[in-house]
Amino acid sequence: MGQIVLKLPLNKIEEMMQAYQSQLKQAPQGAVFAAKTPNSSITAYRSGKVLFQGKNPEIEAGKWGDIEETGSFSPSNNSKPKQHNFMPNPSLFTQSHIGSDEAGTGDYFGPITVAAAYVEQSQIPLLKELGVKDSKNLTDASITSIARKLLQLELPYSLVILHNPKYNKLQQKGWTQGKMKAMLHNHAINQLIKKIEPVKPDGIIIDQFCEPQVYQRHLQSEKNALQENVYFMTKAESHSIAVAAGSIIARASFVQEMNKLSKKAEMTLPKGASAKVDRAIATMIKKYGRDNLNSFAKVHFANTKKASAYL
Ligand code: MN
């Protein structure tokens, strides 16, 4: 049993309500809706907080947003970064540091992309001027254009892409999305540390998607270890410009991969995990058959089943 809380905009919550239409149950007072799936029960509140509880809450939560916090929950509490021993000292935000973030985890179609970026202290004002900030507050078009400027600046970064066939293989082997993300972040950071050698960053900040202890356990299970000076923080992209740069590079890469996949499928693959996605899955199955989904999608998402309604 676990629980996960996401903070989502109301339009997303409406989208969710539609997606879980056949699984709705009576909502408690103050809730917009409540639903139950085989993995998790879901309660969405007007504050924008959505609570996922049950056997595998990360499966449902992972479709809708970045997993930000676990543990205690009250529908009205402020979503402050979660406190733990791996919190970065705020002075690190103004020093030379590495930041890493991911994209694509809640999208049915397309890969997971993780990018780590290294920002030197002297570059921080310039990056701010270029509009580097939390990619969630930017359109895909401006993300692509800012990412291009980062490449022109030759900002040191490293990008890893987990394509769908490998994702599905790992998922079938029993890997959770959390474990995949931990391994991808770790890999991206290792690559970047090598790239900038002999320079050593003042610190490394990972946009937190699980408890630091859980992250370390994932690494240990694959005989990997945490690098020196690694810190975790929820909503890190709004504090660290390196994490923000990572989030922009990861998102730009995700958008690019989605364009490639759409071209390959000769149809537009929608982002996210809404009913629009279910209809696109049905179209794809009719065009190419069910086996083909493995190359384009995270097939364990409930969308695969929900698409049957459109077949
Ligand atoms: Mn993130």
Side-chain angles (χ1 to χ4, degrees):
M1 284 284 283
Q3 69 173 34
I4 290 168
V5 182
L6 296 183
K7 178 96 167 76
L8 296 171
L10 278 178
N11 59 1
K12 196 93 176 206
I13 287 175
E14 277 162 23
E15 203 182 297
M16 288 180 75
M17 194 171 163
Q18 259 192 5
Y20 293 115
Q21 214 164 30
S22 59
Q23 292 154 306
L24 293 181
K25 54 174 202 173
Q26 204 186 351
Q29 211 170 14
V32 183
F33 78 88
K36 195 165 168 44
T37 75
N39 303 314
S40 166
S41 62
I42 304 150
T43 315
Y45 292 89
R46 258 180 272 281
S47 62
K49 291 232 156 188
V50 185
L51 172 63
F52 299 81
Q53 282 173 303
K55 229 174 20 189
N56 294 110
E58 70 282 356
I59 293 181
E60 296 301 329
K63 292 177 202 166
W64 300 100
D66 289 342
I67 295 170
E68 289 170 354
E69 52 182 291
T70 52
S72 67
F73 173 80
S74 81
S76 57
N77 71 354
N78 291 322
S79 47
K80 288 199 192 105
K82 200 172 159 57
Q83 297 295 319
H84 50 63
N85 296 335
F86 287 91
M87 284 293 283
N89 187 315
S91 66
L92 184 55
F93 305 141
T94 59
Q95 294 173 306
S96 303
H97 67 286
I98 286 177
S100 74
D101 201 2
E102 78 276 336
T105 55
D107 300 86
Y108 177 78
F109 289 113
I112 293 182
T113 57
V114 174
Y118 174 61
V119 177
E120 267 179 41
Q121 185 168 37
S122 62
Q123 294 174 301
I124 294 174
L126 174 62
L127 293 196
K128 281 195 177 149
E129 212 169 294
L130 289 181
V132 175
K133 57 181 174 195
D134 181 3
S135 69
K136 284 184 206 72
N137 298 323
L138 297 167
T139 63
D140 282 345
S142 52
I143 286 169
T144 304
S145 113
I146 297 170
R148 217 168 273 150
K149 287 178 202 158
L150 293 178
L151 297 194
Q152 281 164 5
L153 281 178
E154 297 184 11
L155 190 80
Y157 74 95
S158 113
L159 171 71
V160 282
I161 303 177
L162 179 60
H163 292 285
N164 298 100
K166 181 87 187 280
Y167 176 101
N168 292 324
K169 207 179 257 173
L170 292 173
Q171 197 276 325
Q172 277 153 21
K173 245 172 77 177
W175 285 42
T176 60
Q177 251 200 14
K179 179 168 176 179
M180 295 182 210
K181 285 193 274 188
M183 295 310 295
L184 293 167
H185 276 268
N186 187 58
H187 188 48
I189 291 166
N190 278 337
Q191 278 186 342
L192 184 54
I193 288 174
K194 274 205 192 109
K195 209 177 204 173
I196 64 174
E197 257 170 9
V199 173
K200 277 197 173 198
D202 293 322
I204 299 168
I205 304 174
I206 297 174
D207 187 35
Q208 186 182 332
F209 53 88
C210 66
E211 295 294 329
Q213 288 76 6
V214 175
Y215 182 96
Q216 281 176 289
R217 217 179 300 140
H218 288 318
L219 297 195
Q220 280 156 11
S221 72
E222 297 299 317
K223 305 201 166 28
N224 280 262
L226 207 58
Q227 298 85 354
E228 269 170 55
N229 288 327
V230 174
Y231 302 94
F232 295 85
M233 185 188 195
T234 57
K235 301 182 187 303
E237 65 280 348
S238 37
H239 300 275
S240 152
I241 197 117
V243 174
S247 86
I248 286 175
I249 294 167
R251 180 71 192 177
S253 159
F254 177 75
V255 170
Q256 194 179 30
E257 293 300 316
M258 284 294 277
N259 290 341
K260 279 192 217 164
L261 289 176
S262 293
K263 223 174 245 168
K264 194 171 148 198
E266 297 182 332
M267 59 183 277
T268 305
L269 303 181
K271 300 182 186 94
S274 66
K276 199 172 167 190
V277 167
D278 301 343
R279 288 192 292 272
I281 300 167
T283 307
M284 188 174 256
I285 292 175
K286 283 181 205 155
K287 264 177 108 161
Y288 305 109
R290 229 167 237 286
D291 292 346
N292 189 62
L293 290 177
N294 190 51
S295 316
F296 291 90
K298 303 177 186 81
V299 293
H300 68 110
F301 278 29
N303 299 81
T304 305
K305 272 195 196 124
K306 282 192 240 144
S308 315
Y310 302 98
L311 284 171

